[in-house]
């Protein structure tokens, strides 16, 4: 036997669950179950055939609290001293087989008692050097997946981190309150010491009728191998030569591609051949053999001596032998810590960013222990909870089915008919163009529902690429987009800071077929020249356009605010939040606009591409049914962003305002000496915009939109309205990743970046501290690659901040570098920067500014190029834009 199966569960009264518990233990083949809240008294009797029961009753003797352990009678073990306090009841046993020397402890901590760090530490010390303790601790902390942090959870977390214990939790809620107003949470979990996490497998169970659900833990003497994910057809050991030969021998060039059914059939056959070629060329992965564990002679000798002394002490109970046993235990612990430290130092010293070591340094930066990822339940419309993957998958699918529908029309206006169409153009993809696009495919992207990856497309033989080219040109010729390529596989990702129990708090990530994405790239070659020639996309739109970045768009706003300050004006600014902009695009309206811009045959193809699309939701191993998509441009697609820009290209503008758009992020500003007039101009623009939004079924979220007054004066502009509702006012906002405050001091932005830097530094401290064995050159690479980009974003704009704010960032950078090199107090920061070849913040600002000004001087957009023009007025001594820009 090299594994043991342990379950922990809060029974909330064990006697009433005897029959179902007996069935559960037999069905799940549980070796040991740790039970909290047994409610046993001296009169209680409980027995399950084949299991031995050990329990700890509540000190009061009443039917409350308590803990117990049920262990298979054939497993060699013996009970050890239990803990029976008002604040903690624990039942302990010592295993003599499976994992010899492991102490198993079942815990229950009543909720109304506060436990200090000392009390927790005393309990863990009593379990010895190797233990697995689990149960209902009634302690919440995000570290083990809870929703929030309680005082008891904070105390326990401090003990766990100081002693370097490991957490065993499935991330799935274990407490399911009967009150629907309360939210399920994790309060049952395990804590281990001297057990390797790669030897432990955790899974949640929805069986057993209690307000708590059980958690099943499997502990093996060797690492538990994870099955490769089924959505990957290839691996690192795929024989690509065999892959090419298989395709070359099975593909047929004599096919008809004249009708829609011909194209669908050809694609199905081609997809099947590629899938079978990948399977044939990828050998089955065999389970990894457990790595040999070489125990040093010194530790082996200490172990033998300790066991001999322990046997003698258990026989004679001599005080001298007990003292000797304690001393040997300390020596053994010290030797094991030394061995672990040396192994860790060797691991760090061998890290490298080179390909020869499989980029071990960058992989190591992601290996740091992180909090348990919480697997949240979903609240359904009827108030019940979706617990299983199937229930959650269906809940997400029904929600998305509603999302992928257009907003209801709020006007009676109808679109005028369009009788005229543009002439058709010749649509042909050349062999050279196809090969160039294949060469630039991103192999790190996840495959779609057909499991064909970009790497497989890159490895196609010549005949395979030729076959694909014929299919693509047949699609362009017929105007038919294959139905197999219209299916999206969607994975739901929780939005940060949102309620995870609501389906609307998750962001859909759409995985599309790689064949479809490649064809979309090729279609862009046909679309972009037409769009550029007709100048469809307005200059104020900077999103998803070549050589247009967020910094230039924010710079436009900053320039307007700077001119406001110089003229002693008020700048009334509105930052609009568009509700589900890409998902709710009204397709009929989009077709009406595309018909005006595009050649007739290209319009037919894109219309076919957007209609009759479907989606499925993947929730872990569960895959939902197919549902229709009735609105929106495809997420994760290449054409989707471009189509959205075409849909919103005719957004109304106003001569009295400045509009800035980056995809759906929209800002409208107006400057005037009178704050009422400034807002009046913004309101006029919003009134025009409201009519346009209503016509094209676009909805703005008023509560998430922001109104902000930029001025050096005391008064504030009145808030404008949209949809008849007043837009909330604030003194700062975040636009395209930059924090903008009322006086444009950049103080809040710099403070936010410093906070991010400190969090990332703490995460990487094990690599960057002065005692780390990582070479100094590699430390500098880690800093430049991971930490430096955090604060350099937008440096072209916030580089004009006051010296006191810039100095805050400089101090933060200098502290990190001093810790990296372990510099004493008398070494100057300038010397450290010089030796590490890391520029000071001021030097970095100058370098970035020079590079940015060169970019603006050749910018294709006149609105961006004009940012270099000198200001008409320069009244203030303070520079709101760096002197190197426009001054």
């Amino acid at each position: 036997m090299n594994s043991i199966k342990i379950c922990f569960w809060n029974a909330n009264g064990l006697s009433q669950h005897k029959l179902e518990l007996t069935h559960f233990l037999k069905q799940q083949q549980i070796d040991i179950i740790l039970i909290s809240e047994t409610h046993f008294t001296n009169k209680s009797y409980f027995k399950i055939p084949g299991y031995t029961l050990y329990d700890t009753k509540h000190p009061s003797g009443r039917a409350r609290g308590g803990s117990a352990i049920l262990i298979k009678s054939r497993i060699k073990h013996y009970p050890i001293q239990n803990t029976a306090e008002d604040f903690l009841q624990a039942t302990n046993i010592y295993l003599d087989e499976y994992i010899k020397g492991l102490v198993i402890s079942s815990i229950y901590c009543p909720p109304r008692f506060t436990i200090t760090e000392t009390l927790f530490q005393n309990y863990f010390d009593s379990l010895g050097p190797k233990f697995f303790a689990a149960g209902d601790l009634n302690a919440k902390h995000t570290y083990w997946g809870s929703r929030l942090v309680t005082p008891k959870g904070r105390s326990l977390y401090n003990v766990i981190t100081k002693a370097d214990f490991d957490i065993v939790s499935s991330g799935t809620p274990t407490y399911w309150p009967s009150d629907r107003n309360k939210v399920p949470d994790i309060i049952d979990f395990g804590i281990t010491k001297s057990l390797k996490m790669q030897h432990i497998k955790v899974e949640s169970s929805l069986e057993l009728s209690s307000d708590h659900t059980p958690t099943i833990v499997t502990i093996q003497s060797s690492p538990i191998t994870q099955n490769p994910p089924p959505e990957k057809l290839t691996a690192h050991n795929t024989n690509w030569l065999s892959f090419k030969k298989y395709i070359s021998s099975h593909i047929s060039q004599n096919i008809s591609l004249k009708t829609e059914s011909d194209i669908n059939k050809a694609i199905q056959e081609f997809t099947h051949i590629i899938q079978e070629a990948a399977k044939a060329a990828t050998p089955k992965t065999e389970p990894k053999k457990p790595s040999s564990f070489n125990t040093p002679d010194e530790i082996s000798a200490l172990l033998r001596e300790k066991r001999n002394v322990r046997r003698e002490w258990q026989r004679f109970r001599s005080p001298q032998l007990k003292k000797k046993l304690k001393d040997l235990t300390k020596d053994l612990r010290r030797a094991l810590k030394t061995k672990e430290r040396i192994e860790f130092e060797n691991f760090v010293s061998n890290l490298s960013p080179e390909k020869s070591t499989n980029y071990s340094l960058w992989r190591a930066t992601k290996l740091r222990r992180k909090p348990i990822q919480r697997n949240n339940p979903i609240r359904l419309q009827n108030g019940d909870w979706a617990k299983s993957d199937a229930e959650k998958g269906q809940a997400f699918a029904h929600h998305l089915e509603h999302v992928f529908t257009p907003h209801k029309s709020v006007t009676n206006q109808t679109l005028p008919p369009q009788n005229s169409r543009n002439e058709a153009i010749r649509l042909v993809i050349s062999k050279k163009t196809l090969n160039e696009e294949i060469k630039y495919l991103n192999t790190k992207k996840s495959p779609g529902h057909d499991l064909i990856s970009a790497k497989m497309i890159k490895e196609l033989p010549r005949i395979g690429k030729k076959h694909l080219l014929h299919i693509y040109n047949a699609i362009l010729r017929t105007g038919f987009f294959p139905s197999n390529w219209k299916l999206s596989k969607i994975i739901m990702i929780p939005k940060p800071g949102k309620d995870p129990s609501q389906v609307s708090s998750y962001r859909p990530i759409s995985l599309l077929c790689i064949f479809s994405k490649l064809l979309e790239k090729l279609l862009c070659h046909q679309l972009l020249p037409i769009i550029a020639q007709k100048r469809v996309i307005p200059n104020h739109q900077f999103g998803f356009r070549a050589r247009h970045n967020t910094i230039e768009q924010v710079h436009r706003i900053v320039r307007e605010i700077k001119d406001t300050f110089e003229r002693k004006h008020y700048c009334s600014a509105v930052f609009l939040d568009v509700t589900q902009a890409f998902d709710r695009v009204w397709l009929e309206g989009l077709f009406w606009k595309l018909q005006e811009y595009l050649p007739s045959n290209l319009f037919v193809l894109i219309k076919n591409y957007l209609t009759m699309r479907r989606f499925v939701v993947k929730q872990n191993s569960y895959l939902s049914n197919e549902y229709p998509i009735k609105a929106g441009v495809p997420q994760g697609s290449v054409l989707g962003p471009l189509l959205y820009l075409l849909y919103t290209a005719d957004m109304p503008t106003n001569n009295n305002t400045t509009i800035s758009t980056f995809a759906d992020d929209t800002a409208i500003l107006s400057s005037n000496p009178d704050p009422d007039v400034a807002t009046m101009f913004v309101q006029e623009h919003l009134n025009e915009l409201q009519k346009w939004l209503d016509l094209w079924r676009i909805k703005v979220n008023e509560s998430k939109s922001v109104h902000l007054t930029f001025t050096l004066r005391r008064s504030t502009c009145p808030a404008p309205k949209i949809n008849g509702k007043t837009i909330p006012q604030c003194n700062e906002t975040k636009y395209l990743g930059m924090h903008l405050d009322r006086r444009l001091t950049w103080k809040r932005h710099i403070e936010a970046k410093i906070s991010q830097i400190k969090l990332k530094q703490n995460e990487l401290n094990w690599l960057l501290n002065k005692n780390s064995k990582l070479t100094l050159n590699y430390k500098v690479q880690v800093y430049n690659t991971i930490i430096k980009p955090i604060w350099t974003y937008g440096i072209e704009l916030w580089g004009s901040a006051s010296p006191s704010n810039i100095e805050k960032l400089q101090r933060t950078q200098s502290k990190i570098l001093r810790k990296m090199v372990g510099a004493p107090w008398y070494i100057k920061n300038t010397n450290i920067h010089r030796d590490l070849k890391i520029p000071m913040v001021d030097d970095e600002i100058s370098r970035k500014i020079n590079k940015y000004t060169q970019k603006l001087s050749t910018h294709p957009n006149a609105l961006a190029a004009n940012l270099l023009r000198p200001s008409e007025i320069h009244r203030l001594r303070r520079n709101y834009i760096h002197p190197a820009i426009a001054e």
Side-chain angles (χ1 to χ4, degrees), residues 209-436:
S209 58
S210 168
D211 56 352
H212 292 249
T213 51
T215 301
I216 301 174
V217 179
T218 304
I219 304 177
Q220 288 190 180
S221 58
S222 59
I224 297 178
T225 56
Q226 300 292 335
N227 295 325
E231 60 268 13
K232 296 186 74 173
L233 294 177
T234 59
H236 66 280
N237 57 349
T238 298
N239 188 331
W240 293 110
L241 180 59
S242 175
F243 173 81
K244 293 178 180 179
K245 289 181 178 179
Y246 185 97
I247 293 176
S248 299
S249 61
H250 286 76
I251 203 167
S252 174
Q253 291 292 318
N254 298 323
I255 58 172
S256 175
L257 293 173
K258 297 180 179 179
T259 64
E260 296 178 1
S261 59
D262 289 343
I263 295 174
N264 274 332
K265 182 180 178 182
I267 289 172
Q268 290 177 0
E269 292 178 354
F270 189 45
T271 301
H272 179 72
I273 290 173
I274 295 176
Q275 291 171 340
E276 293 301 317
K279 294 177 183 177
T282 306
K284 294 182 179 180
T285 55
E286 298 180 357
K288 293 182 179 180
K289 296 181 179 179
S291 56
S292 57
F293 182 76
N294 298 322
T295 305
D297 295 338
E298 177 189 359
I299 295 178
S300 299
L302 284 172
L303 277 171
R304 288 193 297 269
E305 187 176 1
K306 177 191 171 184
R307 289 167 181 167
N308 293 334
V309 172
R310 184 175 62 187
R311 280 194 292 267
E312 293 181 15
W313 175 76
Q314 290 173 344
R315 182 178 179 185
F316 299 108
R317 299 290 175 173
S318 167
Q320 292 82 5
L321 290 173
K322 184 176 181 179
K323 183 179 183 306
K324 187 175 181 181
L325 179 60
K326 285 184 177 180
D327 293 339
L328 286 171
T329 302
K330 290 180 181 179
D331 293 342
L332 178 60
R333 190 177 302 168
R334 192 180 300 112
L336 288 171
K337 286 185 177 180
T338 302
K339 176 180 177 294
E340 183 180 2
R341 176 178 56 79
I342 293 173
E343 289 178 348
F344 177 75
E345 290 177 352
N346 291 335
F347 167 74
V348 173
S349 61
N350 290 326
L351 293 176
S352 167
E354 305 299 331
K355 185 177 180 180
S356 58
T357 61
N358 197 19
Y359 309 104
S360 58
L361 177 60
W362 307 126
R363 295 165 67 92
T365 58
K366 302 176 183 179
L367 292 177
R368 196 61 176 163
R369 186 183 303 167
K370 296 182 179 180
I372 301 295
Q373 294 297 314
R374 178 178 167 84
N375 186 9
N376 298 286
I378 301 299
R379 191 186 288 276
L380 303 175
Q381 291 182 351
N382 60 4
D384 294 337
W385 292 100
K387 302 177 182 179
S388 66
D389 289 340
E391 292 173 342
K392 288 191 280 188
Q394 284 299 324
F396 285 134
H398 290 311
H399 168 68
L400 291 177
E401 185 182 20
H402 171 71
V403 169
F404 296 142
T405 55
H407 290 294
K408 293 182 179 179
S409 176
V410 296
T411 65
N412 295 324
Q413 294 180 348
T414 57
L415 298 176
Q418 281 184 317
N419 298 323
S420 61
R421 286 188 178 183
N422 298 318
E423 294 182 1
I425 62 172
R426 185 170 179 266
L427 296 176
V428 178
I429 300 172
S430 66
K431 179 180 177 182
K432 179 181 178 182
T433 304
L434 176 64
N435 289 334
E436 286 179 353

Side-chain angles (χ1 to χ4, degrees), residues 68-267:
I69 294 179
L70 277 167
I71 180 172
K72 284 184 177 178
S73 303
R74 60 181 177 80
I75 298 176
K76 293 181 181 180
H77 66 280
Y78 60 83
I80 58 177
Q81 184 177 1
N82 297 332
T83 302
E85 302 287 349
D86 288 336
F87 58 84
L88 189 148
Q89 296 102 52
T91 305
N92 309 318
I93 61 172
Y94 182 95
L95 293 186
D96 254 351
E97 65 175 356
Y98 286 97
I99 305 172
K100 189 176 177 63
L102 177 66
V103 172
I104 304 291
S105 180
S106 174
I107 325 167
Y108 176 66
C109 295
R112 65 189 185 93
F113 289 97
T114 300
I115 307 180
T116 63
E117 293 182 27
T118 303
L119 294 176
F120 271 128
Q121 189 62 59
N122 292 339
Y123 161 68
F124 290 124
D125 289 342
S126 68
L127 300 181
K130 190 176 186 179
F131 64 79
F132 175 84
D136 182 0
L137 287 98
N138 278 300
K140 298 183 181 181
H141 200 286
T142 53
Y143 185 71
W144 47 82
S146 303
R147 295 184 303 111
L148 43 83
V149 178
T150 59
K152 187 186 294 185
R154 189 176 291 107
S155 298
L156 181 58
Y157 170 77
N158 292 337
V159 173
I160 289 171
T161 52
K162 288 177 183 177
D164 201 27
F165 296 155
D166 287 309
I167 292 292
V168 177
S169 172
S170 65
T172 302
T174 58
Y175 173 55
W176 301 84
S178 55
D179 187 351
R180 290 190 173 184
N181 294 324
K182 295 183 178 180
V183 180
D185 213 339
I186 298 176
I187 56 177
D188 307 76
F189 52 93
I191 302 168
T192 70
K193 180 182 179 182
S194 300
L195 286 177
K196 295 184 177 180
M197 292 305 294
Q198 59 265 36
H199 294 210
I200 299 176
K201 179 184 177 182
V202 189
E203 52 188 330
S204 60
S205 174
L206 298 177
E207 302 181 44
L208 298 177
S209 58
S210 168
D211 56 352
H212 292 249
T213 51
T215 301
I216 301 174
V217 179
T218 304
I219 304 177
Q220 288 190 180
S221 58
S222 59
I224 297 178
T225 56
Q226 300 292 335
N227 295 325
E231 60 268 13
K232 296 186 74 173
L233 294 177
T234 59
H236 66 280
N237 57 349
T238 298
N239 188 331
W240 293 110
L241 180 59
S242 175
F243 173 81
K244 293 178 180 179
K245 289 181 178 179
Y246 185 97
I247 293 176
S248 299
S249 61
H250 286 76
I251 203 167
S252 174
Q253 291 292 318
N254 298 323
I255 58 172
S256 175
L257 293 173
K258 297 180 179 179
T259 64
E260 296 178 1
S261 59
D262 289 343
I263 295 174
N264 274 332
K265 182 180 178 182
I267 289 172

Side-chain angles (χ1 to χ4, degrees), residues 668-687:
I668 299 174
L669 300 86
S670 179
S671 178
N672 195 273
D674 188 337
D676 294 331
V677 174
T679 295
M680 182 187 70
F681 289 149
V682 172
Q683 187 63 63
E684 289 177 356
H685 194 164
L686 289 177
N687 293 339

Side-chain angles (χ1 to χ4, degrees), residues 16 55 103 231 308 455 563 701 738 792 825 845 871 874:
Q16 59 185 331
D55 74 286
V103 172
E231 60 268 13
N308 293 334
K455 176 65 174 176
D563 290 343
N701 191 331
M738 304 285 287
T792 54
W825 62 270
I845 291 173
S871 297
H874 190 73

Side-chain angles (χ1 to χ4, degrees), residues 562-585:
K562 186 257 184 186
D563 290 343
T564 297
F565 292 165
E566 296 288 355
R567 291 182 170 89
K568 299 183 182 181
H569 286 185
Y570 293 88
C571 180
S572 181
V574 171
F575 299 87
L576 300 177
D577 180 86
V578 181
T579 303
Q580 297 167 335
F582 286 76
D583 299 332
R584 296 271 195 167
V585 170

